[in-house]
Amino acid sequence: MPIRIPDELPAVNFLRNENVFVMASSRASVQEIRPLKVLILNLMPKKIETENQFLRLLSNSPLQIDVQLLRIDSRESRNTPSEHLNNFYCNFEDIEHDNFDGLIVTGAPLGLVDFNDVAYWPQIQRVLHWAKEHVTSTLFVCWAVQAALNILYGIPKQTRQNKLSGVYEHQILHPHALLTRGFDDNFLAPHSRYADFPSQLIRDYTDLELFAESEATGAYLMASKDKRLAFVTGHPEYDALTLSGEYHRDYDAGLHPEVPFNYFPQDNPELPPRATWRSHGNLLFSNWLNYYVYQITPFDLRHMNPTLE
Ligand SMILES: CC(C)(COP(=O)(O)OP(=O)(O)OC[C@H]1O[C@@H](n2cnc3c(N)ncnc32)[C@H](O)[C@@H]1OP(=O)(O)O)[C@@H](O)C(=O)NCCC(=O)NCCSC(=O)CCC(=O)O
Ligand SMILES: N[C@@H](CCO)C(=O)O
């Protein structure tokens, strides 16, 4: 069912061309149901591409979702037109007194940047503490997982020697967990990060439940027992060509990137890759929306649950 977004957002036409059911605000406003309110803190360099990716996954659910895009970086964006940000993004001050059913904090290309050198580090700390009292469930993706583990659990930044880039096989750890309901025992998902998430670190220093992992990537999917926090260390939202774009970007920058693992046919970057994780990504977001947001969020958002334990 539909995501409710401004009629002029590029995703409206982009996703309609994929037969994705997008409901422009003009139509959604006449429906007599309470849409879910989902806030997306978009920290990715290619913000419009990232919008399309997450909105595609959020649209694949029977729930009407009112999506609000959030920015916390006041600096001029290098990769996104200011007009787009001014037209479609709100600032934290605009929504700090509101409550939301869900919050998604995207990845960011900051795996080699110390937390204190992140230009919006104070702002993201403020958002994560705000969310304890204003959001039913927050989903952290990739770099946002490392930021949240530091801000909420005090875990220092863990950085790999080499960038983990490719499509890896993972195993589910609990056959009846809600977040992995319907998952295959083994499933593929993309990773693109310097951040390191050893499963043992999660087990030793947090009370999070670990739901999926792999030997190559470490922890992939974990969540708090109260479902208020969910973490995915990969990029299930990625399009087929996103890893290719990152590889060629870094190759052209003379950074000698390794060819992404298990991605290009015959490991040849000149051959078109295929998406082997799309069904996983759709199911993960449907499970999060259903069991971590819709089933536990209060009908009246003014009655938000108390803060996290
Ligand atoms: C940052 C990238 C990856 C992207 O190339 P670009 O030319 O687009 O870089 P850029 O425009 O300077 O930065 C991309 C976006 O990151 C933001 N950005 C850069 N440095 C920042 C900082 N200190 N604080 C806050 N934001 C920062 C920029 O504002 C920009 O967002 P706006 O467009 O809004 O201005 C590249 O410069 C690079 O460093 N590549 C080699 C190393 C690498 O692969 N890094 C990414 C590893 S993968 C990763 O980091 C994932 C997370 C993880 O590993 O934990
Ligand atoms: N991995 C992405 C950043 C978000 O994970 C990149 O290389 O730009």
Side-chain angles (χ1 to χ4, degrees):
M1 196 123 89
I3 40 176
R4 294 186 355 151
I5 51 180
D7 299 31
E8 305 77 20
L9 192 69
V12 172
N13 292 324
F14 179 86
L15 295 177
R16 274 190 179 141
N17 290 334
E18 296 181 359
N19 198 28
V20 168
F21 186 9
V22 175
M23 183 182 289
S25 301
S26 51
R27 173 157 174 245
S29 60
V30 297
Q31 288 215 335
E32 293 300 315
I33 53 174
R34 162 170 153 8
L36 291 180
K37 290 176 65 184
V38 174
L39 185 64
I40 300 178
L41 173 52
N42 188 355
L43 305 171
M44 288 291 278
K46 293 188 171 184
K47 286 182 178 20
I48 295 175
E49 178 183 281
T50 301
E51 292 160 19
N52 295 342
Q53 291 170 352
F54 281 103
L55 293 176
R56 181 190 291 124
L57 292 175
L58 291 175
S59 69
N60 190 33
S61 109
L63 305 169
Q64 187 179 130
I65 301 171
D66 195 346
V67 177
Q68 175 60 61
L69 298 168
L70 173 66
R71 64 175 309 198
I72 55 174
D73 189 350
S74 56
R75 303 171 308 154
E76 185 84 14
S77 172
R78 285 189 48 178
N79 299 284
T80 307
S82 299
E83 184 187 12
H84 181 82
L85 296 171
N86 295 336
N87 286 343
F88 301 112
Y89 283 71
C90 70
N91 296 307
F92 180 66
E93 292 67 30
D94 301 324
I95 51 98
E96 65 179 315
H97 302 299
D98 297 343
N99 288 344
F100 291 84
D101 301 294
L103 165 64
I104 294 171
V105 186
T106 74
L110 304 174
L112 298 179
V113 179
D114 290 340
F115 289 139
N116 289 325
D117 294 334
V118 174
Y120 46 75
W121 187 244
Q123 289 86 334
I124 195 168
Q125 288 174 297
R126 190 176 172 204
V127 171
L128 266 56
H129 291 302
W130 166 85
K132 295 175 185 174
E133 306 212 352
H134 291 266
V135 180
T136 296
S137 188
T138 300
L139 177 61
F140 300 97
V141 180
C142 189
W143 180 81
V145 172
Q146 198 172 64
L149 290 177
N150 180 262
I151 295 166
L152 301 175
Y153 291 91
I155 295 179
K157 185 178 179 68
Q158 314 284 317
T159 306
R160 301 168 60 92
Q161 280 296 317
N162 299 308
K163 183 176 185 179
L164 182 74
S165 172
V167 183
Y168 293 86
E169 184 170 278
H170 304 77
Q171 292 76 42
I172 59 172
L173 299 174
H174 304 287
H176 305 303
L178 291 175
L179 201 52
T180 54
R181 173 154 298 175
F183 280 30
D184 294 328
D185 294 340
N186 293 4
F187 63 91
L188 294 170
H191 286 267
S192 177
R193 55 179 164 89
Y194 280 98
D196 201 20
F197 300 106
S199 295
Q200 203 54 47
L201 180 87
I202 303 302
R203 293 189 175 98
D204 292 346
Y205 294 99
T206 76
D207 57 357
L208 297 173
E209 291 184 288
L210 196 51
F211 293 123
E213 64 180 355
S214 99
E215 193 170 327
T217 71
Y220 172 71
L221 190 59
M222 53 266 196
S224 57
K225 292 180 179 58
D226 64 3
K227 304 187 179 70
R228 300 291 298 273
L229 304 172
F231 306 81
V232 57
T233 64
H235 281 287
E237 82 283 3
Y238 270 11
D239 295 321
L241 297 178
T242 308
L243 281 178
S244 172
E246 293 171 0
Y247 169 77
H248 289 291
R249 172 199 68 197
D250 293 344
Y251 183 89
D252 295 346
L255 297 168
H256 310 293
E258 289 186 28
V259 173
F261 172 75
N262 188 29
Y263 177 63
F264 290 112
Q266 295 97 49
D267 286 334
N268 178 349
E270 299 315 311
L271 295 179
R274 298 171 62 80
T276 55
W277 59 90
R278 192 177 290 126
S279 52
H280 155 66
N282 278 275
L283 188 51
L284 170 58
F285 274 75
S286 295
N287 286 349
W288 174 70
L289 269 176
N290 183 12
Y291 303 114
Y292 280 54
V293 179
Y294 181 66
Q295 302 293 347
I296 63 173
T297 200
F299 179 78
D300 184 339
L301 270 177
R302 289 170 299 178
H303 305 148
M304 179 59 67
N305 294 335
T307 59
L308 294 175
E309 290 77 51

